[in-house]
Amino acid sequence: MTRLTQIPGLPPLVAAAGLLAAWELAARVFDISGLPPAHAALRELPVILTDKESLLNILDSIRRMVVGFAFALVFAIPVGLMMGRSRLTAAFFNPLLMIIYPVPKAALMPIIMLWLGVGDASKTLVIFLGVSLPVIYHAYQGARAVEEKMLWSAAAMGMDARARLTRIVFPAALPEIMVGVRTGLVLALITMVTSEMIARKQGVGDILFNALAMAQYETVYATIVIIGLLGFVIDVGFERLRAHLVAWAEPAHEIAAVGST
Amino acid sequence: MTFTRRASEIAIGILPIALVIALWHAIAASGIAPAVLLPPPGAVFARLIEQAGSRQFLDNAAVTLYRLFAGFSIAVVVGVTLGVAATGSKAVEGIVKPLVRVLAPLPKVALYPAMILMLGFDDASKIALVVADAVFPILLATYQGTSAVDNKLVWSARAAGCTPRRALFTVVLMAALPSVLTGCRIGLIISCIVVFLAEMITSTDGLGYLLVRAGRNFETVDMFVPLISISILGLTLNAAFNALRKWLLRGFAEES
Amino acid sequence: MISIERLSKAFDTARGTSHLALSDISLDVAGGEFVSILGPSGCGKSTLLYIVGGFVPPSSGAVRVQGAAVTGPGPDRGPVFQEFALFPWKTVLGNVMYGLLEQGAPKKIAEDRARALIEMVHLKGYENFYPKELSGGMKQRVAIARTLAYGPSILLMDEPFGALDAHTRTGMQHELLEIWERDRKTVLFVTHSVEEAVFLSDRVVVLTRSPGRIKEISRIDLPRPRRRAELLVDRRYQDYVVAIEKLMDDPAEVRA
Ligand SMILES: Nc1ncnc2c1ncn2[C@@H]1O[C@H](COP(=O)(O)OP(=O)(O)O)[C@@H](O)[C@H]1O
Ligand SMILES: [Mg+2]
C-alpha cells in the first residue's frame, strides 16, 4: 500500500476516479434533478470537444488567457524586482497595490466593457490585472530577500545596477517569482472563466451559463470537467517547468500557490 | 525605523493614489471621456458617502457580509479539521492529499453552475462557492503547519498524560497556529472576492448585484460605489484579522 | 527501576534500505541512580532515550520500568529536551501548570504547585513571561519545572544543557544536582561532554559509533555532594575524565 502511493501521479488518478465514482453514486442514489450521473456528463465531453463552435470558443478563451498572462509577467516581474531593491519604489507602489488587492479583478469587467467594449481587449485586460498583482508581490518578496552580501560582491566586481538586477537579483528571486507565477496561472484561469460568466458573450464561461439556461445539464457538468482538466494540466505542466528551472531551490509552498483569487 | 522615515514613506505611498485620483479627475473634467463612461471622482465619493447612510445599500452590504462570513466560517472549520486530521492519521492523509491535488487547481468558480443546480439561486449556492474557494488555502496551511510541528512538543504533552487525539488539537494545532492563521487570512480575502463575484454572476441582492444592476442601467457612478466598498471591506477585514492574529500569536517568535 | 533488554532499533531510510541506529543494548538502572549516556554524535543516544520514553517503538528488545513493559509515554517518565520544547502559546506559569492540569489537578492546586516549582528553579517574577522572552538557560529551567510538576520518578534528559553557553551550563549542572540530591529521581542523562557526564553521574555508559552498542560502563566513585570547583583539582575526577576521553578517542573507532 505504501509502495503504491509512492508511484507519482497514481494517487491523484485514483482520487479523480474516486470523485467520479462518488458523483455517479450520488446522482443515482439521491436522484437530484440538477445532478446528472457522471457517465452522462462524460458522454458529452467528446461532443463538446468536436463541436467546432465550442472548440473555437474554448481556444479563444485560452488565447486571451495566454496573452493576458504573458503581458502580466513582462510587466509585473520588473516592477516587483525594483520594488524589492529600492525602498522608495516599494513605498511608492505598496499602498496602491494594497487598495487594489481586495478588489475582485473580474468585477471590473462591467466598467472596462463600458470603455473597451465586450471584445478581447476587455477580457485580456482583466486577466492581465488579475495575474499582475500576485506576480508583483512575490517578485517583490523574492528580491527583498536577496542577500545584501551577494550584491556587494557583484558591485565590487564592477557590475552596474542594471546588470545586478538582471544577473543577480532575478535569478536569486526566481524561486519566489515562480510561486507568484503559479498563483498567477491559477488566477488567469479563474479570471478568464469569471469574466466570461459576467460578460456572457463568448468563451468557456459563456458556454457554461448558456447550457445552464437551456437546461442542458450534462453540458454544464462536462464543461466543468473540461475546465478542471485544464486547471490540472496547467498546474502539473507548470510544476514540471518550475522543477526544471529552479531545481536548486526548495519546493514552492503550496499555500501561496492556491492563495488569493 | 525612525518616525520621520516612516512618515516620508507614507507620504510617498499616498502620492500614486493621489495621482490616480487627480488623473481620473482631469480626464473626467477635460471632457475626453463623457460622464456616462467615467464619472468624476468627486461624484463617486459623494455618492459613496450618501449610500453609506442609505438603508437599501446597507441591507445589500449586510447580505454580502452574511454570505461571506457563513462561507468563511464553514471553510475554517472544514479546512482546519481536515488539515489536522491529515497530519494526525496516515489514512486521512492518504485520502485528503490526492483529493486536494486534483481539486485545488480547479477554478472553483466553474463549479458555481453546478452549485446553482443543486442548491438553488439563493444564499446556499453562494456560500458553497465561498467555502469551495476558501477551504483549500486554509486546509493546506493547516496541514503544512501541523506536519511541521516539532515532535518533541507532542512528546512533552504525551508524557504529561495527554492522549494522542487530545494532543492533536491542544498541542499540534496550537503550535501550528501561525501557519493556520496565514491560511485563514488568505481564505478571508478570497471569501471577500468570491462572494462579490458570485453576486455579480447571478443574484438579486448584495454588493455584487448592485454593481451589475447599475451597469445594466448605465448608472456609472453607482458602479464604482460597490467596487470601492468591497475594497474598503477587504482592507478592514484584513486589518481586523491582523490585529486578532497579533494577539493570538503574542507568545510566538516574530515572523512576517 | 529501568531495565533495557537486548534493544535494537532500525530506521527505514528514504532509499528504502534500513539503517541500524542501536544494536543490542542491555542496561539496568537502579532507582535513584544517575546514569549518563555518552557517545559520538549520531550513535543513537537520543533514540535510546526516546525508546525508554515510549515515544519511539524499538525494532526488537524491550524496556521495562518497575517490571512493566513500556508501550507508550507515561507520567512516570518525564522528558527534558535540548530544544526545550516549551509551548510558545503558554506563559511560564501556563507551561509549568500544564502537566498538573493534564493529570486532573484542580486549577488552584496546580497553580500553587507550579508557582513553588518556578521559585525553586529561580524564576520567581517571570510567571507571566512567554518563553520567547527568556534566555536559553531560563527556558531550560522552565522545561525542567514543567516536567518535575507532574512528579515523574524518572527523568529522561537529552543533552539538556547542550544549547547553553559554558557558564550557564555549569550553573545548570549544579542546580540539577541539587534537585536530584533532594528527591533522588532516577535520571537517564544523554550528553556528549565527558566532563559533564563524570561530574553528574553514578555511572557513565559509553556507546560506540553508529550503530550504537554499549562499549563500556564506568562507575564514578566520587563523593557527593559534588562541587565542580573542587572536582577540577581532584585527581580521581581527572583520571575518570581522561580514561573516558581515551575510550571515546579509540582509533579503532574512528573509521567511518
Ligand atoms: N526518525 C528517524 N528516521 C530515520 N533515521 C533516524 C531517525 N532518528 C534518528 N535517525 C538516525 O539514527 C541515528 C541515531 O540518531 P540519534 O539517536 O539522534 O543520535 P544522537 O542523539 O546520538 O546524536 C542517526 O544515524 C540518525 O540519522
Ligand atoms: Mg541527539
Side-chain angles (χ1 to χ4, degrees):
Chain A
M1 187 61 207
T2 41
R3 287 288 168 276
L4 272 182
T5 55
Q6 275 155 15
I7 300 172
L10 187 64
L13 266 179
V14 174
L19 280 174
L20 288 177
W23 168 8
E24 180 78 29
L25 204 69
R28 284 175 189 231
V29 173
F30 300 112
D31 195 26
I32 309 166
S33 69
L35 184 67
H39 76 268
L42 292 183
R43 228 177 14 221
E44 281 298 304
L45 273 185
V47 180
I48 298 176
L49 290 177
T50 51
D51 178 59
K52 189 144 176 271
E53 201 186 333
S54 304
L55 201 59
L56 280 180
N57 254 325
I58 295 173
L59 289 178
D60 265 351
S61 293
I62 295 177
R63 181 175 44 82
R64 282 192 293 269
M65 189 179 105
V66 171
V67 172
F69 179 73
F71 273 110
L73 290 195
V74 171
F75 166 75
I77 294 176
V79 170
L81 290 182
M82 282 190 292
M83 281 173 67
R85 292 322 310 168
S86 142
R87 287 184 73 99
L88 206 68
T89 321
F92 186 80
F93 282 113
N94 260 333
L96 187 63
L97 295 176
M98 222 169 83
I99 293 180
I100 303 175
Y101 177 57
V103 177
K105 306 307 164 297
L108 299 173
M109 253 332 257
I111 292 179
I112 293 179
M113 270 159 46
L114 275 182
W115 301 337
L116 301 178
V118 286
D120 272 11
S122 303
K123 288 175 190 151
T124 313
L125 178 62
V126 167
I127 293 172
F128 168 84
L129 289 175
V131 175
S132 290
L133 238 64
V135 179
I136 291 180
Y137 176 78
H138 286 280
Y140 166 51
Q141 295 298 342
R144 216 161 61 141
V146 173
E147 252 191 78
E148 210 69 47
K149 293 200 184 85
M150 266 204 282
L151 294 171
W152 290 346
S153 10
M157 286 188 291
M159 263 193 210
D160 61 19
R162 208 190 140 130
R164 286 201 298 268
L165 201 63
T166 53
R167 305 220 343 240
I168 308 277
V169 177
F170 175 71
L174 198 55
E176 186 67 28
I177 293 177
M178 286 314 226
V179 176
V181 172
R182 187 174 180 191
T183 313
L185 261 179
V186 176
L187 279 181
L189 190 59
I190 293 172
T191 318
M192 173 192 103
V193 175
T194 318
S195 66
E196 289 165 358
M197 284 181 169
I198 291 170
R200 298 274 173 85
K201 279 291 182 296
Q202 68 219 159
V204 187
D206 187 49
I207 297 181
L208 264 177
F209 270 84
N210 266 339
L212 184 64
M214 293 192 286
Q216 295 167 338
Y217 297 159
E218 283 85 5
T219 311
V220 172
Y221 282 88
T223 312
I224 293 175
V225 171
I226 292 176
I227 298 173
L229 282 175
L230 199 57
F232 190 71
V233 167
I234 289 177
D235 196 56
V236 170
F238 178 76
E239 209 28 61
R240 288 267 158 86
L241 180 72
R242 195 196 63 80
H244 183 71
L245 282 180
V246 289
W248 47 274
E250 300 283 312
H253 21 107
E254 289 174 66
I255 318 168
V258 189
S260 70
T261 301
Chain B
M1 197 183 301
T2 62
F3 175 73
T4 46
R5 188 160 186 187
R6 184 108 189 99
S8 67
E9 279 187 3
I10 289 173
I12 292 168
I14 290 173
L15 197 67
I17 299 171
L19 276 178
V20 168
I21 294 177
L23 187 70
W24 174 6
H25 184 80
I27 294 177
S30 72
I32 304 172
V36 274
L37 288 188
L38 189 68
V44 169
F45 285 106
R47 184 87 179 124
L48 180 67
I49 290 162
E50 179 196 326
Q51 289 283 46
S54 122
R55 185 62 208 260
Q56 196 225 355
F57 180 83
L58 291 179
D59 282 348
N60 278 296
V63 168
T64 301
L65 275 177
Y66 160 68
R67 290 170 181 153
L68 193 169
F69 278 111
F72 175 67
S73 311
I74 297 173
V76 169
V77 172
V78 173
V80 169
T81 310
L82 283 181
V84 170
T87 295
S89 141
K90 279 265 173 286
V92 178
E93 186 185 33
I95 296 170
V96 169
K97 252 175 107 170
L99 276 180
V100 168
R101 184 76 190 88
V102 172
L103 290 177
L106 171 76
K108 283 1 142 254
V109 70
L111 292 174
Y112 188 43
M115 288 165 177
I116 293 174
L117 282 177
M118 283 184 274
L119 301 172
F121 280 88
D122 285 336
D123 289 346
S125 59
K126 293 177 184 63
I127 293 173
L129 183 62
V130 171
V131 174
D133 256 307
V135 79
F136 286 98
I138 298 174
L139 196 167
L140 280 168
T142 305
Y143 172 63
Q144 286 173 0
T146 48
S147 39
V149 169
D150 187 354
N151 269 336
K152 282 157 200 144
L153 239 45
V154 182
W155 294 349
S156 300
R158 297 270 288 114
C162 188
T163 64
R165 181 162 311 178
R166 221 176 106 71
L168 205 53
F169 285 90
T170 58
V171 176
V172 177
L173 179 59
M174 285 306 286
L177 209 53
S179 172
V180 173
L181 291 181
T182 300
C184 287
R185 186 177 51 192
I186 295 174
L188 183 62
I189 297 293
I190 290 183
S191 304
C192 189
I193 289 174
V194 167
V195 74
F196 194 84
L197 290 176
E199 288 173 352
M200 283 184 71
I201 296 170
T202 71
S203 186
T204 51
D205 50 9
L207 291 175
Y209 167 71
L210 289 185
L211 170 55
V212 175
R213 190 185 63 180
R216 240 180 259 140
N217 302 336
F218 295 102
E219 292 159 354
T220 329
V221 177
D222 284 315
M223 293 173 73
F224 279 89
V225 172
L227 273 179
I228 295 174
S229 310
I230 200 77
S231 170
I232 293 173
L233 181 64
L235 290 175
T236 313
L237 289 178
N238 197 36
F241 193 89
N242 277 340
L244 176 72
R245 178 188 156 92
K246 200 166 170 191
W247 181 76
L248 284 174
L249 298 185
R250 62 200 179 283
F252 288 82
E254 286 307 320
E255 49 120 37
S256 56
Chain C
M1 182 87 183
I2 308 173
S3 120
I4 300 168
E5 298 157 7
R6 310 216 54 180
L7 195 79
S8 293
K9 176 72 188 178
F11 288 106
D12 292 332
T13 66
R15 294 171 301 283
T17 57
S18 156
H19 168 77
L20 193 61
L22 284 173
S23 171
D24 201 24
I25 305 272
S26 294
L27 176 71
D28 282 303
V29 180
E33 196 180 10
F34 198 123
V35 174
S36 285
I37 298 169
L38 197 59
S41 175
C43 73
K45 306 180 293 292
S46 300
T47 305
L48 178 58
L49 214 66
Y50 298 163
I51 293 174
V52 175
F55 309 126
V56 170
S59 301
S60 67
V63 176
R64 286 174 202 289
V65 171
Q66 290 187 316
V70 165
T71 54
D76 54 338
R77 285 152 290 141
V80 176
F81 301 107
Q82 177 175 3
E83 305 86 347
F84 320 129
L86 293 172
F87 304 131
W89 61 95
K90 287 184 186 289
T91 59
V92 168
L93 185 64
N95 268 285
V96 179
M97 279 171 70
Y98 176 80
L100 288 159
L101 295 177
E102 282 299 322
Q103 293 289 311
K107 195 147 186 267
K108 181 80 186 66
I109 293 176
E111 184 172 335
D112 288 347
R113 170 131 176 79
R115 285 188 188 280
L117 276 165
I118 291 169
E119 193 169 345
M120 186 182 94
V121 295
H122 310 296
L123 284 174
K124 197 171 166 56
Y126 290 95
E127 287 83 354
N128 295 321
F129 279 53
Y130 283 97
K132 72 168 178 191
E133 299 163 321
L134 306 178
S135 71
M138 292 160 95
K139 279 184 199 158
Q140 197 55 292
R141 283 193 213 139
V142 177
I144 291 172
R146 177 181 67 176
T147 298
L148 291 176
Y150 52 86
S153 53
I154 299 170
L155 285 181
L156 303 173
M157 311 186 85
D158 188 8
E159 306 197 32
F161 310 141
L164 309 179
D165 62 81
H167 179 72
T168 313
R169 190 174 177 139
T170 39
M172 294 288 290
Q173 287 168 356
H174 278 114
E175 282 185 39
L176 176 63
L177 277 190
E178 268 171 38
I179 292 170
W180 179 77
E181 308 267 356
R182 199 171 323 148
D183 42 44
R184 287 282 166 165
K185 292 189 186 298
T186 308
V187 181
L188 214 48
F189 188 101
V190 164
T191 176
H192 57 242
S193 155
V194 176
E195 297 195 19
E196 183 171 70
V198 172
F199 173 60
L200 293 172
S201 317
D202 295 322
R203 281 192 296 159
V204 175
V205 178
V206 179
L207 297 187
T208 60
R209 208 165 280 274
S210 176
R213 298 169 209 272
I214 294 186
K215 187 174 196 178
E216 191 157 313
I217 301 179
S218 314
R219 178 165 295 282
I220 311 295
D221 277 318
L222 293 171
R224 293 185 188 267
R226 298 174 183 168
R227 304 287 319 161
R228 193 176 142 83
E230 292 160 18
L231 281 186
L232 281 177
V233 293
D234 188 322
R235 188 58 201 264
R236 289 169 300 170
Y237 169 81
Q238 294 161 359
D239 287 346
Y240 282 125
V241 172
V242 171
I244 296 175
E245 278 298 355
K246 275 195 179 139
L247 258 177
M248 307 257 308
D249 250 5
D250 194 343
E253 279 291 318
V254 193
R255 35 170 185 94

